[in-house]
Amino acid sequence: MPVGRLTAAAIGFCLVAVSAAAGLAPTAAPAAVPTAAPAAATPALAGVSVRPGVIHVGRAQAGLLSTADCEKLYQVACYGPAQIRRAYGLPALYAKGVTGHGATIVIVDSYGSPTIRNDLRVFDRAYGLPAPPEFRIIQPAGRVPAYDPASSDMVGWAGETTLDVEWAHAVAPGANILLVQTPVSETEGVHGFPQIVAAEEYVLKHHLGDVISQSFSATEETFSSASEIRALRGAYELADRDHVTVLAASGDSGASDLGLDETTYYAFRVTSWPDSDPLVTAVGGTQLHFTARGTPAAPTVWNDTYSTATNEFTDGDPGPNPLASGGGMSLFFTRPAYQDSVRDVVGGSRGVPDISMSAACDGSVITYATYGGAPAGWSPECGTSEATPLFAGIVALADQVAGHSLGLINPALYQLAAEGKPGIVGVTSGDNTVSFTQDGREQTVAGFSARPGYNLATGLGTVNAPYFVPELARLARH
């Protein structure tokens, strides 16, 4: 996303793979990577950078925010844990003792946040949540440098860390949290991603977690060849072998996404990696809706692109700006076997997302943070960076029910949908079409419409947790 565009909204990370291409014109499609392709040798990562997408500019409040407060202050809705839990039917699971106990959610963030332990304690006290049984912070890829509140990178990653930790915990309050902080070294031009790969491989080799939540992505067109992606897949192949679930956000620019300059959008349909990887579960975004009495209503595709109030909140202008669930068909990966049942939608390509959770900016979640460089207090955040830790919490609940980690859950997701199980709820309204002003004119990238069954805006849909959690626990492999 453009630097500085967001005001107290977490819209995912942007992983930019800098290739030789200088502009946004499409190049010849690289050869498809077979879904079972072996990993290449050590990747050449000198041009890969990772940036967080959360920027806070004066949107924090000293007091706890209610939905009414957000609607008055920002003209967007916002929700606390009770509302999110109600939307997915989670109280019924908690009443049976299903809280994620025994499972560990792994959250990987560059730098982390220097105040996350205390911020989580304040968040928990305010909402009446128990502390996680265990909250560990490790730095397996090297010591993280001292926090610098003048560094926009560190401030951004601190915001993402806050969102990830607080909301994975809000969904699975009985799960352990392992926050894996990575240093960002600019040695020889390398910036961030090698450390994330190393950190994830450390976690996997030492069997430290059950589900990994990641909120970073790269537009596939920014890679110069299929081999570049193949060389980066080692952690996902290791996770698959060790039966650890890996999640990734599907992005926040609808059917488009950012180019190499991180400010310019592609004017045609694109998608991103690692969410497009067949060994990863891609998490898209929905918008929640509630009746006047607070009862959950049918969710729709998250798309705030054409909402003037939401654009004013996130971008400071009336828009339109891309603010929608990422989705589309992979340029690199062929259709995995588990998507054979939706071949009429994806054709011969890997389609994303697989599943979706709350992500709308008009329907943000509330976080609490006090790290330097941003206003301290309570603020609304949104995007598939929200949806991904929410779903990580759901997976942790299923891990507890199964009594073990579930590994790659995608085959089970598509089987549940094909069998019409009630745990998966279709999203049948909305689309991820986006518009933006570029080259002096407004441009539109036509997206994908929701429909019964699988679609390229929300995947299979969203979840009804009291049904979904035991269904997933029964089907996912040991």
Side-chain angles (χ1 to χ4, degrees):
M1 72 180 53
V3 174
R5 86 173 257 187
L6 271 200
T7 305
I11 307 290
F13 295 159
C14 179
L15 164 63
V16 178
V18 182
S19 70
L24 296 185
T27 58
V33 178
T35 57
T42 304
L45 296 173
V48 178
S49 66
V50 184
R51 293 179 59 87
V54 54
I55 299 174
H56 296 267
V57 185
R59 295 291 193 181
Q61 302 295 321
L64 188 62
L65 290 163
S66 67
T67 302
D69 292 332
C70 287
E71 290 173 341
K72 180 180 179 180
L73 290 167
Y74 311 128
Q75 288 73 57
V76 299
C78 63
Y79 305 125
Q83 291 156 301
I84 295 296
R85 289 171 160 191
R86 189 173 186 185
Y88 296 107
L90 290 167
L93 288 170
Y94 302 151
K96 296 179 180 179
V98 179
T99 62
H101 179 72
T104 297
I105 300 170
V106 179
I107 294 166
V108 184
D109 286 315
S110 291
Y111 300 126
S113 165
T115 60
I116 187 58
R117 288 191 183 277
N118 181 68
D119 293 343
L120 180 61
R121 280 193 291 267
V122 174
F123 181 87
D124 287 345
R125 285 198 301 267
Y127 287 117
L129 304 178
E134 181 178 70
F135 180 21
R136 294 178 61 201
I137 301 175
I138 63 173
Q139 299 176 358
R143 185 173 181 178
V144 172
Y147 184 76
D148 179 3
S151 166
S152 61
D153 277 350
M154 286 190 168
V155 172
W157 284 98
E160 184 63 47
T161 300
T162 303
L163 174 64
D164 291 344
V165 169
E166 291 179 354
W167 280 92
H169 175 59
V171 171
N176 302 317
I177 301 290
L178 177 65
L179 174 60
V180 182
Q181 299 176 337
T182 67
V184 178
S185 171
E186 296 181 2
T187 303
E188 297 178 354
V190 177
H191 191 105
F193 196 65
Q195 290 87 350
I196 288 179
V197 171
E200 290 183 345
E201 290 183 345
Y202 178 91
V203 168
L204 291 162
K205 290 175 181 176
H206 292 81
H207 309 290
L208 300 182
D210 301 291
V211 53
I212 297 175
S213 178
Q214 347 174 85
S215 296
F216 54 83
S217 64
T219 307
E220 287 187 331
E221 276 75 1
T222 62
F223 290 93
S224 62
S225 68
S227 61
E228 286 189 348
I229 285 184
R230 185 184 296 115
L232 297 172
R233 301 182 69 216
Y236 307 140
E237 292 168 332
L238 183 59
D240 184 47
R241 290 195 296 269
D242 289 351
H243 310 316
V244 174
T245 307
V246 181
L247 312 178
S250 72
D252 310 297
S253 302
S256 181
D257 214 333
L258 287 167
L260 295 172
D261 60 7
E262 300 183 68
T263 60
T264 308
Y265 293 96
Y266 283 89
F268 51 90
R269 291 173 172 176
V270 296
T271 192
S272 57
W273 183 85
D275 50 287
S276 66
D277 199 295
L279 299 179
V280 171
T281 301
V283 185
T286 64
Q287 182 173 23
L288 299 179
H289 301 279
F290 296 89
T291 68
R293 294 188 176 186
T295 303
T300 57
V301 178
W302 166 43
N303 195 338
D304 288 320
T305 301
Y306 304 99
S307 166
T308 299
T310 309
N311 277 273
E312 291 286 1
F313 168 66
T314 59
D315 289 77
D317 64 57
N321 296 288
L323 289 168
S325 176
M329 290 177 286
S330 176
L331 176 68
F332 292 105
F333 294 98
T334 57
R335 185 186 71 239
Y338 56 75
Q339 286 194 317
D340 284 350
S341 60
V342 298
R343 59 166 59 88
D344 61 322
V345 179
V346 303
S349 301
R350 159 73 161 131
V352 295
D354 297 302
I355 201 78
S356 292
M357 299 288 284
S358 173
C361 297
D362 187 4
S364 302
V365 291
I366 300 301
T367 65
Y368 179 80
T370 57
Y371 53 83
W378 300 90
S379 59
E381 302 191 3
C382 55
T384 53
S385 280
E386 168 201 339
T388 306
L390 292 181
F391 192 65
I394 297 290
V395 173
L397 301 181
D399 287 337
Q400 178 190 347
V401 172
H404 55 77
S405 59
L406 302 179
L408 179 66
I409 63 172
N410 294 0
L413 295 180
Y414 286 86
Q415 183 177 341
L416 290 173
E419 294 176 354
K421 297 295 186 182
I424 290 184
V425 179
V427 177
T428 59
S429 179
D431 60 56
N432 62 353
T433 295
V434 294
S435 297
F436 46 88
T437 299
Q438 198 160 278
D439 298 329
R441 62 188 180 88
E442 184 173 306
Q443 301 187 45
T444 296
V445 178
F448 304 93
S449 296
R451 44 166 265 181
Y454 181 86
N455 64 76
L456 292 164
T458 60
L460 297 167
T462 189
V463 302
N464 183 351
Y467 294 98
F468 177 78
V469 166
E471 289 167 0
L472 181 62
R474 284 194 298 269
L475 271 186
R477 73 184 189 192
H478 185 86

Coordinates of all heavy atoms in Angstrom, one line a residue, residues 30-108:
P30 N 5.7 -16.7 -16.2 CA 6.7 -17.8 -15.9 C 6.1 -19.1 -16.0 O 4.9 -19.3 -15.8 CB 7.2 -17.4 -14.5 CG 6.8 -16.0 -14.3 CD 5.6 -15.8 -15.1
A31 N 6.9 -20.1 -16.2 CA 6.4 -21.5 -16.2 C 5.8 -21.8 -14.8 O 6.3 -21.4 -13.8 CB 7.5 -22.5 -16.5
A32 N 4.7 -22.6 -14.8 CA 4.0 -22.9 -13.6 C 4.9 -23.8 -12.7 O 5.6 -24.7 -13.2 CB 2.7 -23.6 -13.9
V33 N 4.8 -23.6 -11.4 CA 5.5 -24.4 -10.4 C 4.6 -25.6 -10.1 O 3.5 -25.4 -9.6 CB 5.9 -23.6 -9.1 CG1 6.6 -24.5 -8.2 CG2 6.7 -22.4 -9.5
P34 N 5.1 -26.8 -10.3 CA 4.2 -28.0 -9.9 C 4.0 -27.9 -8.4 O 4.8 -27.5 -7.7 CB 5.1 -29.2 -10.3 CG 6.1 -28.7 -11.3 CD 6.3 -27.2 -11.0
T35 N 2.8 -28.3 -8.0 CA 2.4 -28.2 -6.6 C 3.3 -29.1 -5.7 O 3.4 -28.9 -4.5 CB 1.0 -28.6 -6.4 OG1 0.8 -30.0 -6.9 CG2 0.0 -27.7 -7.1
A36 N 4.0 -30.0 -6.3 CA 4.9 -30.9 -5.5 C 6.4 -30.6 -5.8 O 7.2 -31.5 -5.6 CB 4.6 -32.3 -5.6
A37 N 6.6 -29.5 -6.4 CA 8.0 -29.2 -6.8 C 9.0 -29.2 -5.7 O 8.7 -28.7 -4.6 CB 8.1 -27.8 -7.5
P38 N 10.2 -29.8 -5.8 CA 11.2 -29.8 -4.8 C 11.7 -28.4 -4.6 O 11.8 -27.6 -5.5 CB 12.2 -30.7 -5.3 CG 12.1 -30.7 -6.7 CD 10.7 -30.5 -7.0
A39 N 12.2 -28.1 -3.3 CA 12.8 -26.8 -3.1 C 14.1 -26.7 -3.7 O 14.8 -27.6 -3.9 CB 12.9 -26.6 -1.5
A40 N 14.4 -25.4 -4.2 CA 15.7 -25.2 -4.8 C 16.8 -25.0 -3.7 O 16.5 -25.0 -2.5 CB 15.7 -24.0 -5.7
A41 N 18.0 -24.8 -4.1 CA 19.0 -24.5 -3.1 C 18.8 -23.2 -2.5 O 17.8 -22.5 -2.7 CB 20.4 -24.6 -3.8
T42 N 19.8 -22.7 -1.7 CA 19.7 -21.4 -1.1 C 19.3 -20.3 -2.0 O 19.9 -20.1 -3.0 CB 21.1 -21.0 -0.5 OG1 21.5 -22.1 0.4 CG2 21.0 -19.8 0.3
P43 N 18.2 -19.6 -1.7 CA 17.7 -18.6 -2.6 C 18.5 -17.4 -2.6 O 19.2 -17.0 -1.7 CB 16.3 -18.3 -2.0 CG 16.4 -18.6 -0.5 CD 17.4 -19.8 -0.5
A44 N 18.5 -16.7 -3.8 CA 19.1 -15.4 -3.9 C 18.1 -14.3 -3.4 O 17.1 -14.1 -4.1 CB 19.5 -15.1 -5.3
L45 N 18.3 -13.7 -2.3 CA 17.3 -12.9 -1.6 C 17.7 -11.4 -1.6 O 17.0 -10.7 -0.8 CB 17.0 -13.4 -0.2 CG 16.4 -14.8 -0.1 CD1 16.3 -15.3 1.3 CD2 15.0 -14.9 -0.8
A46 N 18.7 -11.0 -2.3 CA 19.2 -9.7 -2.1 C 18.2 -8.6 -2.4 O 18.4 -7.5 -2.0 CB 20.5 -9.5 -2.9
G47 N 17.2 -8.9 -3.2 CA 16.3 -7.9 -3.6 C 14.9 -8.0 -2.9 O 14.0 -7.4 -3.4
V48 N 14.8 -8.8 -1.9 CA 13.5 -9.0 -1.2 C 13.4 -8.2 0.0 O 14.3 -8.2 0.9 CB 13.4 -10.5 -0.8 CG1 12.0 -10.7 -0.1 CG2 13.4 -11.4 -2.1
S49 N 12.3 -7.5 0.2 CA 12.1 -6.7 1.4 C 10.7 -6.9 2.0 O 9.8 -7.2 1.2 CB 12.3 -5.2 1.1 OG 11.3 -4.7 0.2
V50 N 10.6 -6.8 3.3 CA 9.4 -6.9 3.9 C 9.0 -5.7 4.6 O 9.8 -5.1 5.4 CB 9.5 -8.1 5.0 CG1 8.1 -8.3 5.6 CG2 10.0 -9.3 4.3
R51 N 7.8 -5.2 4.4 CA 7.3 -4.0 5.1 C 6.0 -4.2 5.7 O 5.1 -4.8 5.1 CB 7.2 -2.8 4.1 CG 8.5 -2.3 3.5 CD 8.3 -1.2 2.5 NE 7.6 -0.1 3.1 CZ 8.2 0.9 3.7 NH1 9.5 0.9 3.8 NH2 7.6 1.9 4.2
P52 N 5.8 -3.7 6.9 CA 4.5 -3.8 7.5 C 3.5 -2.8 6.9 O 4.0 -1.8 6.3 CB 4.7 -3.5 9.0 CG 5.9 -2.5 8.9 CD 6.7 -3.0 7.8
G53 N 2.2 -3.0 7.0 CA 1.3 -2.1 6.4 C 0.4 -1.3 7.4 O -0.7 -0.9 7.0
V54 N 0.8 -1.2 8.6 CA 0.0 -0.6 9.6 C 0.7 0.8 10.0 O 1.8 0.8 10.4 CB -0.2 -1.5 10.8 CG1 1.1 -1.9 11.4 CG2 -1.1 -0.7 11.9
I55 N -0.1 1.8 9.8 CA 0.5 3.2 10.2 C -0.6 3.9 11.0 O -1.7 4.0 10.7 CB 0.8 4.0 8.9 CG1 1.8 3.3 8.1 CG2 1.2 5.4 9.3 CD1 2.1 3.9 6.8
H56 N -0.2 4.3 12.2 CA -1.1 5.1 13.1 C -0.8 6.5 13.0 O 0.4 7.0 13.3 CB -0.9 4.6 14.5 CG -1.2 3.1 14.7 ND1 -2.5 2.7 15.1 CD2 -0.5 2.0 14.6 CE1 -2.5 1.4 15.2 NE2 -1.3 1.0 14.9
V57 N -1.8 7.3 12.7 CA -1.6 8.8 12.7 C -2.7 9.4 13.4 O -3.7 9.8 12.8 CB -1.5 9.3 11.2 CG1 -1.1 10.8 11.2 CG2 -0.4 8.5 10.4
G58 N -2.6 9.5 14.7 CA -3.6 10.3 15.5 C -4.9 9.7 15.7 O -5.9 10.4 15.9
R59 N -5.1 8.3 15.5 CA -6.4 7.7 15.6 C -6.6 7.0 16.9 O -7.5 6.2 17.0 CB -6.6 6.8 14.5 CG -6.7 7.5 13.1 CD -7.9 8.4 13.0 NE -8.1 8.8 11.6 CZ -9.1 9.6 11.2 NH1 -10.0 10.0 12.1 NH2 -9.2 9.9 9.9
A60 N -5.7 7.1 17.9 CA -5.8 6.4 19.1 C -6.6 7.2 20.1 O -6.5 8.5 20.1 CB -4.5 6.0 19.7
Q61 N -7.4 6.6 21.0 CA -8.1 7.2 22.1 C -7.7 6.7 23.4 O -7.3 5.5 23.6 CB -9.6 7.0 21.9 CG -10.2 7.5 20.6 CD -10.1 9.0 20.4 OE1 -10.3 9.7 21.3 NE2 -9.8 9.4 19.2
A62 N -7.7 7.6 24.4 CA -7.3 7.2 25.8 C -8.2 6.1 26.4 O -7.8 5.3 27.2 CB -7.2 8.4 26.7
G63 N -9.5 6.2 26.1 CA -10.5 5.3 26.7 C -10.9 4.2 25.7 O -10.7 4.3 24.5
L64 N -11.4 3.1 26.3 CA -11.9 2.0 25.5 C -13.0 2.4 24.6 O -13.9 3.2 24.9 CB -12.4 0.9 26.5 CG -12.7 -0.4 25.9 CD1 -11.5 -1.1 25.2 CD2 -13.3 -1.3 26.9
L65 N -12.8 2.0 23.3 CA -13.8 2.4 22.3 C -14.9 1.4 22.1 O -14.7 0.2 22.1 CB -13.1 2.5 20.9 CG -12.1 3.7 20.7 CD1 -11.2 3.4 19.5 CD2 -12.8 5.0 20.6
S66 N -16.1 2.0 22.0 CA -17.3 1.1 21.6 C -17.6 1.3 20.2 O -17.1 2.2 19.5 CB -18.5 1.6 22.5 OG -18.9 2.9 22.1
T67 N -18.5 0.5 19.7 CA -19.0 0.7 18.3 C -19.5 2.1 18.1 O -19.2 2.7 17.0 CB -20.0 -0.4 17.9 OG1 -19.5 -1.7 18.1 CG2 -20.5 -0.2 16.5
A68 N -20.3 2.6 19.0 CA -20.9 3.9 18.9 C -19.8 5.0 18.9 O -19.9 6.0 18.1 CB -21.9 4.1 20.0
D69 N -18.8 4.8 19.7 CA -17.7 5.7 19.7 C -17.0 5.8 18.3 O -16.7 6.9 17.8 CB -16.6 5.3 20.7 CG -17.1 5.4 22.1 OD1 -18.0 6.3 22.4 OD2 -16.6 4.7 23.0
C70 N -16.7 4.7 17.7 CA -16.1 4.7 16.4 C -17.0 5.3 15.3 O -16.5 6.0 14.5 CB -15.7 3.2 16.0 SG -14.3 2.6 16.9
E71 N -18.2 5.0 15.4 CA -19.2 5.6 14.4 C -19.2 7.1 14.6 O -19.3 7.8 13.6 CB -20.5 4.9 14.6 CG -20.6 3.5 14.1 CD -21.9 2.8 14.4 OE1 -22.6 3.3 15.3 OE2 -22.1 1.7 13.8
K72 N -19.1 7.6 15.8 CA -19.2 9.0 16.0 C -17.8 9.7 15.6 O -17.8 10.7 15.0 CB -19.5 9.3 17.5 CG -19.5 10.8 17.8 CD -19.9 11.0 19.3 CE -19.9 12.5 19.7 NZ -20.2 12.7 21.1
L73 N -16.7 9.1 16.0 CA -15.4 9.7 15.8 C -14.9 9.5 14.4 O -14.3 10.4 13.8 CB -14.4 9.0 16.8 CG -14.5 9.4 18.3 CD1 -13.7 8.4 19.1 CD2 -14.1 10.8 18.5
Y74 N -15.1 8.3 13.8 CA -14.5 8.0 12.5 C -15.5 7.7 11.4 O -15.1 7.4 10.3 CB -13.6 6.8 12.7 CG -12.6 6.9 13.9 CD1 -12.5 5.9 14.9 CD2 -11.8 8.0 14.0 CE1 -11.6 6.0 15.9 CE2 -10.9 8.2 15.1 CZ -10.8 7.1 16.1 OH -10.0 7.2 17.1
Q75 N -16.8 7.5 11.8 CA -17.8 7.2 10.8 C -17.6 5.7 10.3 O -18.0 5.4 9.1 CB -17.9 8.2 9.6 CG -18.5 9.5 10.0 CD -17.5 10.3 10.9 OE1 -16.4 10.6 10.4 NE2 -18.0 10.7 12.0
V76 N -16.9 4.9 11.1 CA -16.9 3.5 10.8 C -17.2 2.7 12.0 O -17.0 3.2 13.1 CB -15.4 3.1 10.3 CG1 -15.1 3.8 9.0 CG2 -14.4 3.3 11.3
A77 N -17.7 1.5 11.8 CA -18.0 0.6 13.0 C -16.7 0.0 13.5 O -15.7 -0.1 12.8 CB -18.9 -0.5 12.6
C78 N -16.7 -0.4 14.8 CA -15.5 -1.1 15.3 C -16.1 -2.1 16.4 O -17.1 -1.9 17.0 CB -14.5 -0.2 15.9 SG -15.0 0.8 17.4
Y79 N -15.3 -3.2 16.6 CA -15.8 -4.2 17.5 C -14.8 -4.7 18.5 O -13.6 -4.7 18.2 CB -16.3 -5.4 16.6 CG -17.3 -5.1 15.6 CD1 -17.0 -5.5 14.2 CD2 -18.5 -4.5 15.9 CE1 -17.9 -5.2 13.2 CE2 -19.4 -4.2 14.9 CZ -19.1 -4.5 13.5 OH -20.0 -4.2 12.5
G80 N -15.3 -5.1 19.6 CA -14.4 -5.7 20.7 C -14.6 -7.2 20.6 O -15.4 -7.8 19.8
P81 N -13.9 -8.0 21.5 CA -13.9 -9.4 21.5 C -15.3 -10.0 21.6 O -15.6 -11.0 20.9 CB -13.1 -9.8 22.7 CG -12.1 -8.7 22.8 CD -12.9 -7.5 22.4
A82 N -16.2 -9.5 22.4 CA -17.5 -10.1 22.6 C -18.3 -10.1 21.3 O -19.0 -11.1 20.9 CB -18.3 -9.3 23.6
Q83 N -18.2 -9.1 20.5 CA -18.9 -9.0 19.2 C -18.3 -10.0 18.2 O -19.0 -10.7 17.5 CB -18.9 -7.6 18.6 CG -19.8 -6.6 19.5 CD -19.4 -5.2 19.3 OE1 -18.2 -4.8 19.6 NE2 -20.3 -4.4 18.9
I84 N -17.0 -10.0 18.1 CA -16.3 -10.9 17.2 C -16.6 -12.4 17.6 O -17.0 -13.2 16.7 CB -14.8 -10.7 17.1 CG1 -14.5 -9.3 16.6 CG2 -14.1 -11.8 16.3 CD1 -14.9 -9.1 15.1
R85 N -16.6 -12.7 18.8 CA -16.9 -14.0 19.3 C -18.3 -14.4 19.0 O -18.6 -15.5 18.6 CB -16.6 -14.1 20.8 CG -15.2 -14.1 21.2 CD -15.0 -13.9 22.7 NE -13.7 -14.4 23.1 CZ -13.3 -14.5 24.4 NH1 -14.2 -14.3 25.3 NH2 -12.1 -14.9 24.7
R86 N -19.2 -13.5 19.2 CA -20.6 -13.8 18.9 C -20.8 -14.0 17.4 O -21.6 -14.9 17.0 CB -21.5 -12.6 19.4 CG -23.0 -12.9 19.3 CD -23.8 -11.9 19.9 NE -25.2 -12.3 20.0 CZ -26.2 -11.5 20.4 NH1 -26.0 -10.2 20.8 NH2 -27.5 -11.9 20.4
A87 N -20.1 -13.3 16.6 CA -20.3 -13.4 15.1 C -19.9 -14.8 14.6 O -20.5 -15.3 13.7 CB -19.4 -12.4 14.4
Y88 N -19.0 -15.5 15.3 CA -18.6 -16.8 14.9 C -19.1 -17.9 15.8 O -18.7 -19.1 15.7 CB -17.1 -16.9 14.8 CG -16.6 -15.9 13.7 CD1 -15.9 -14.7 14.1 CD2 -16.8 -16.2 12.4 CE1 -15.5 -13.9 13.1 CE2 -16.4 -15.4 11.4 CZ -15.7 -14.2 11.7 OH -15.3 -13.3 10.7
G89 N -20.0 -17.6 16.8 CA -20.5 -18.6 17.6 C -19.6 -19.2 18.6 O -19.8 -20.3 19.2
L90 N -18.5 -18.5 19.0 CA -17.5 -19.0 19.8 C -17.9 -19.3 21.3 O -17.4 -20.2 21.9 CB -16.3 -18.1 19.8 CG -15.5 -18.1 18.5 CD1 -14.5 -16.9 18.4 CD2 -14.8 -19.4 18.3
P91 N -18.8 -18.5 21.9 CA -19.2 -18.8 23.3 C -19.7 -20.2 23.5 O -19.5 -20.8 24.6 CB -20.3 -17.8 23.5 CG -19.9 -16.6 22.7 CD -19.4 -17.2 21.4
A92 N -20.3 -20.8 22.5 CA -20.8 -22.2 22.6 C -19.6 -23.2 22.8 O -19.7 -24.2 23.5 CB -21.6 -22.6 21.4
L93 N -18.5 -22.9 22.1 CA -17.3 -23.7 22.3 C -16.6 -23.5 23.6 O -16.2 -24.4 24.3 CB -16.3 -23.4 21.2 CG -16.7 -24.0 19.8 CD1 -15.7 -23.4 18.7 CD2 -16.7 -25.5 19.8
Y94 N -16.5 -22.2 24.0 CA -15.9 -21.9 25.3 C -16.7 -22.6 26.5 O -16.1 -23.0 27.4 CB -15.9 -20.4 25.6 CG -15.1 -19.6 24.5 CD1 -15.5 -18.3 24.2 CD2 -14.1 -20.1 23.8 CE1 -14.8 -17.5 23.3 CE2 -13.4 -19.3 22.8 CZ -13.8 -18.0 22.6 OH -13.1 -17.3 21.6
A95 N -18.0 -22.6 26.3 CA -18.8 -23.3 27.4 C -18.5 -24.7 27.5 O -18.7 -25.3 28.6 CB -20.3 -23.1 27.1
K96 N -17.9 -25.4 26.5 CA -17.5 -26.8 26.5 C -16.0 -26.9 26.9 O -15.5 -28.1 26.8 CB -17.8 -27.4 25.2 CG -19.3 -27.5 24.8 CD -19.5 -28.1 23.4 CE -21.0 -28.1 23.1 NZ -21.2 -28.7 21.7
G97 N -15.4 -25.8 27.2 CA -14.0 -25.9 27.6 C -13.0 -25.9 26.4 O -11.8 -26.1 26.5
V98 N -13.5 -25.6 25.2 CA -12.7 -25.5 24.0 C -12.2 -24.0 23.9 O -12.9 -23.2 23.4 CB -13.5 -25.9 22.7 CG1 -12.5 -25.8 21.5 CG2 -14.0 -27.3 22.9
T99 N -11.0 -23.8 24.3 CA -10.4 -22.5 24.3 C -9.0 -22.4 23.6 O -8.4 -21.4 23.6 CB -10.2 -22.0 25.7 OG1 -9.2 -22.9 26.4 CG2 -11.5 -21.9 26.5
G100 N -8.6 -23.6 23.0 CA -7.3 -23.6 22.4 C -6.2 -24.2 23.4 O -5.0 -24.2 23.0
H101 N -6.7 -24.7 24.5 CA -5.7 -25.2 25.5 C -4.8 -26.3 24.9 O -5.3 -27.2 24.3 CB -6.5 -25.8 26.7 CG -5.6 -26.3 27.8 ND1 -4.9 -25.5 28.6 CD2 -5.3 -27.6 28.1 CE1 -4.2 -26.3 29.4 NE2 -4.4 -27.5 29.2
G102 N -3.5 -26.1 25.2 CA -2.6 -27.1 24.7 C -2.0 -26.8 23.3 O -0.9 -27.4 23.0
A103 N -2.6 -25.9 22.6 CA -2.1 -25.5 21.3 C -1.2 -24.3 21.4 O -1.4 -23.5 22.3 CB -3.3 -25.3 20.3
T104 N -0.4 -24.1 20.4 CA 0.5 -22.9 20.4 C 0.4 -22.2 19.1 O 0.6 -22.8 18.0 CB 2.0 -23.3 20.6 OG1 2.1 -23.8 22.0 CG2 2.9 -22.0 20.5
I105 N 0.0 -20.9 19.1 CA -0.1 -20.1 17.9 C 1.2 -19.3 17.8 O 1.7 -18.7 18.7 CB -1.2 -19.1 18.0 CG1 -2.6 -19.8 18.2 CG2 -1.3 -18.1 16.8 CD1 -3.7 -18.9 18.6
V106 N 1.9 -19.5 16.6 CA 3.1 -18.8 16.3 C 2.9 -17.6 15.5 O 2.2 -17.7 14.4 CB 4.1 -19.8 15.6 CG1 5.4 -19.1 15.3 CG2 4.3 -21.0 16.4
I107 N 3.4 -16.5 16.0 CA 3.2 -15.2 15.2 C 4.6 -14.7 14.9 O 5.4 -14.5 15.8 CB 2.4 -14.2 16.1 CG1 1.0 -14.7 16.3 CG2 2.5 -12.8 15.5 CD1 0.2 -13.9 17.3
V108 N 4.9 -14.5 13.7 CA 6.2 -14.1 13.2 C 6.2 -12.6 12.7 O 5.4 -12.3 11.8 CB 6.8 -15.0 12.1 CG1 8.2 -14.6 11.7 CG2 6.7 -16.4 12.5

